[in-house]
Amino acid sequence: MLLWAVLALPAVTADRLGMNEPRPLWQQLAGLAVLAAAAALSRRQPLASFALTAALGLAATPALFSVSYGPALGVFAVLLGLRAPRSRPAVAAFVAVALVGTARIALVGVDPPPEWLVLTGTLLFGCVFPWLCGRYWRQSRALAEAGWLKAARLEDEQRHAEERARLRERARIAQDMHDSLGHELSLLALRAAALQVSPGLATDHRAAAADLRAAAADATDHLHRIIGVLREDDEPVPLAPAGESVRQLVARAAESGLPVRWEEPSDTTAAEVPEPGGVTSHLLHRVVREALTNAARHAPGAPVVVAVRNHAHGTTVTVTNGPATQEATATRGGSGLLGLRAAVTSVGGDFRAGAHGEGFRVRAYVPAQRSTTSARQPAGSPAGTLTAVTAPFTRARRRVALGLGAAAGAGAVLVGAAFGWYAYTETHSVLTPAAYAKLRPGTPYDEVAPVLPDREAHDPPTDRAPAPPAGAHCRYYRASGELLVSIDHFRLCFDTPGRQGRLISKDVVPGVGRPDPDREESTENGGPTR
């Protein structure tokens, strides 16, 4: 009811203020009834509301624009863009209105070209442009709702990512504890074994050393079983640098009693080991540490050889041990080698471990790693996900903005064309005052035609002109080429409409606010001149 009351106000006041042609009361009431029906259907059937209002406008004037129903047409166009989910029915409605309006102008229009320009301008600025504004508003609301929903999803994903990061960090810590503590316990068992077989040691001390060795082996096995539960073999390699180089690791293992030696290659450049602190050096340190730990646990007393070879695009490390010379403590097999394989292959390297003669060999190739990281966001990151979600809405906004710009540009072109046509018609309908003064009543049309302009006045002031002679056919011409102001017009009346007629009267119709020259001449000379 409020919408109907607002839209009906221009329809009522325009007639009362004389801004429209006088209409019968039944037509005014019918227009208010149509507006009421359109307002009632505007929520569930916005296309029907717009169609009713457009039909009402076309019935009032072939050019569609009218003061009474123009505001209602724009309002229902906005509601059509805001509430209609699809755009094709609206475009079809605009095309239908244009076709019907063009047909009406061609059939009953007084001056078709200007009326068609008014129709086109009304369609663009009174229908298409408000409809695009409504669609932009609708898409903005949809984007805001999708943004809030996506924000909630991203918060959930962030919480899950943090939880996964905590679990991965626990697994990484467990891996480091397993590798480092297992290695240290293995070296402790080696020192206890060396102490056990040292000469001159008392029997009770020798038994204590044996117990210490067995306890270290059991602790290593328990550590593997407890912490190994938390390990994830597919974890990426942590970037924390190792505390020592591969050479220092081998030297410390040798000092602890492990029969290990560093094999120097013939090529000195091939023995260069990457400096600690990078991914390559950390992986090499981890491979050698795990291989030495396994050699101490599963092949005690066996000689171990560590060799490192540097290549153009990476580094190869080989750890080879012979057969065991002492009895090994029974321990459960672990997944240390599987973890090494996953770590090496994750950076594009190659890992091999297996029997070699009577012993065992571990070989790993680690390619050179770049220290810089790519700035591009991964596809699964929150930033990448947000970009992927907002991209369709960004494209939709761009399409709507382009539509608004196209409508505004087309409207500007049409306004320019309409003004150009207006200027052309007005300037080509000017009868100069000098030529008007030479015309005399009774002159044949053939003698008058050479001084007449190409066109007649587009909007003659018939309401201000005096009553024409009975049976006369009158033509109106402008007295000057001024635009957008009220000027004087000349009226020439002929006795017949064809070229056989004669001029029977001529009059000057003054512009609004201008003095009547005929009246002034009558006052000065005692009577008007025709």
Side-chain angles (χ1 to χ4, degrees):
M1 291 296 294
L2 181 60
L3 176 63
W4 174 78
V6 171
L7 298 180
L9 184 62
V12 174
T13 56
D15 291 329
R16 296 295 180 90
L17 296 177
M19 302 178 69
N20 289 329
E21 292 292 334
R23 297 182 300 164
L25 179 61
W26 71 268
Q27 290 186 1
Q28 300 180 25
L29 296 178
L32 295 179
V34 172
L35 288 179
L41 296 174
S42 61
R43 185 173 298 276
R44 295 186 178 181
Q45 299 292 334
L47 183 60
S49 299
F50 174 79
L52 286 175
T53 310
L56 186 61
L58 289 175
T61 170
L64 184 63
F65 176 78
S66 64
V67 179
S68 298
Y69 308 122
L73 189 66
V75 170
F76 286 121
V78 172
L79 295 180
L80 177 61
L82 181 63
R83 295 173 178 175
R86 297 186 301 169
S87 60
R88 290 184 179 180
V91 174
F94 297 148
V95 173
V97 171
L99 294 177
V100 173
T102 302
R104 285 212 63 197
I105 291 174
L107 294 175
V108 300
V110 178
D111 195 353
E115 291 181 354
W116 188 84
L117 287 175
V118 173
L119 170 67
T120 308
T122 305
L123 272 175
L124 282 175
F125 290 99
C127 300
V128 177
F129 198 80
W131 173 71
L132 288 175
C133 292
R135 285 192 61 81
Y136 185 81
W137 188 4
R138 175 188 178 89
Q139 291 182 355
S140 298
R141 289 170 54 182
L143 178 60
E145 294 175 0
W148 284 112
L149 181 60
K150 188 58 190 176
R153 291 180 180 175
L154 287 177
E155 290 180 358
D156 294 339
E157 292 179 1
Q158 184 66 23
R159 286 194 294 268
H160 292 318
E162 292 175 356
E163 184 64 25
R164 289 194 300 269
R166 285 194 293 268
L167 294 177
R168 289 178 181 270
E169 183 65 16
R170 290 177 58 188
R172 188 191 65 81
I173 294 174
Q175 175 67 37
D176 289 345
M177 290 180 62
H178 171 268
D179 294 342
S180 60
L181 293 181
H183 179 73
E184 299 298 333
L185 289 175
S186 298
L187 295 182
L188 179 61
L190 286 176
R191 291 180 181 273
L195 181 62
Q196 180 183 358
V197 298
S198 62
L201 192 65
T203 304
D204 53 345
H205 291 169
R206 196 180 303 277
D211 294 340
L212 178 61
R213 176 188 175 189
D218 292 341
T220 303
D221 189 49
H222 292 162
L223 177 67
H224 170 75
R225 283 184 294 176
I226 294 175
I227 299 182
V229 175
L230 301 177
R231 289 185 64 248
E232 292 187 11
D233 295 334
D234 59 347
E235 286 296 313
V237 182
L239 298 180
E244 59 185 353
S245 64
V246 177
R247 282 180 178 269
Q248 294 171 344
L249 173 64
V250 173
R252 187 162 60 88
E255 292 175 359
S256 300
L258 183 67
V260 58
R261 65 182 179 86
W262 180 272
E263 184 181 81
E264 294 287 350
S266 58
D267 187 2
T268 56
T269 59
E272 297 179 0
V273 182
E275 293 294 329
V279 176
T280 302
S281 62
H282 183 87
L283 268 179
L284 294 176
H285 186 279
R286 183 176 171 184
V287 169
V288 173
R289 184 179 61 187
E290 182 68 20
L292 294 180
T293 301
N294 290 340
R297 290 173 58 192
H298 303 291
V304 183
V305 178
V306 179
V308 176
R309 299 290 187 273
N310 226 11
H311 308 289
H313 302 289
T315 306
T316 300
V317 61
T318 305
V319 181
T320 308
N321 64 269
T325 60
Q326 303 175 15
E327 182 180 358
T329 305
T331 58
R332 297 179 56 185
S335 56
L337 295 180
L338 295 177
L340 287 179
R341 185 185 303 278
V344 173
T345 55
S346 66
V347 296
D350 179 68
F351 182 85
R352 298 179 183 179
H356 179 73
E358 297 182 356
F360 199 83
R361 170 177 287 180
V362 175
R363 182 191 298 272
Y365 168 75
V366 181
Q369 303 296 315
R370 297 180 180 178
S371 57
T372 58
T373 58
S374 173
R376 186 177 63 180
Q377 292 288 345
S381 64
T385 304
L386 182 59
T387 302
V389 169
T390 57
F393 293 98
T394 303
R395 289 193 295 269
R397 276 188 164 183
R398 187 180 297 113
R399 288 195 301 269
V400 173
L402 290 176
L404 291 174
V413 171
L414 285 174
V415 169
F419 183 79
W421 178 260
Y422 165 76
Y424 174 81
T425 56
E426 298 301 295
T427 55
H428 283 71
S429 61
V430 176
L431 178 62
T432 62
Y436 172 79
K438 295 179 181 179
L439 299 178
R440 294 292 182 265
T443 306
Y445 178 82
D446 292 337
E447 297 180 11
V448 176
V451 300
L452 297 180
D454 300 335
R455 301 178 60 87
E456 298 181 27
H458 165 61
D459 189 15
T462 55
D463 55 338
R464 302 194 305 272
H473 299 273
C474 300
R475 299 184 181 186
Y476 291 82
Y477 301 96
R478 294 169 59 88
S480 68
E482 296 180 76
L483 301 177
L484 305 178
V485 295
S486 180
I487 62 173
D488 296 342
H489 284 71
F490 297 139
R491 186 181 71 176
L492 305 179
C493 296
F494 298 85
D495 55 359
T496 60
R499 301 182 63 88
Q500 303 300 325
R502 291 178 176 274
L503 179 65
I504 59 176
S505 68
K506 66 176 187 176
D507 301 280
V508 178
V509 182
V512 178
R514 293 174 178 263
D516 188 347
D518 287 344
R519 184 173 301 175
E520 292 182 356
E521 185 177 354
S522 173
T523 303
E524 294 176 359
N525 301 329
T529 300
R530 296 297 185 191

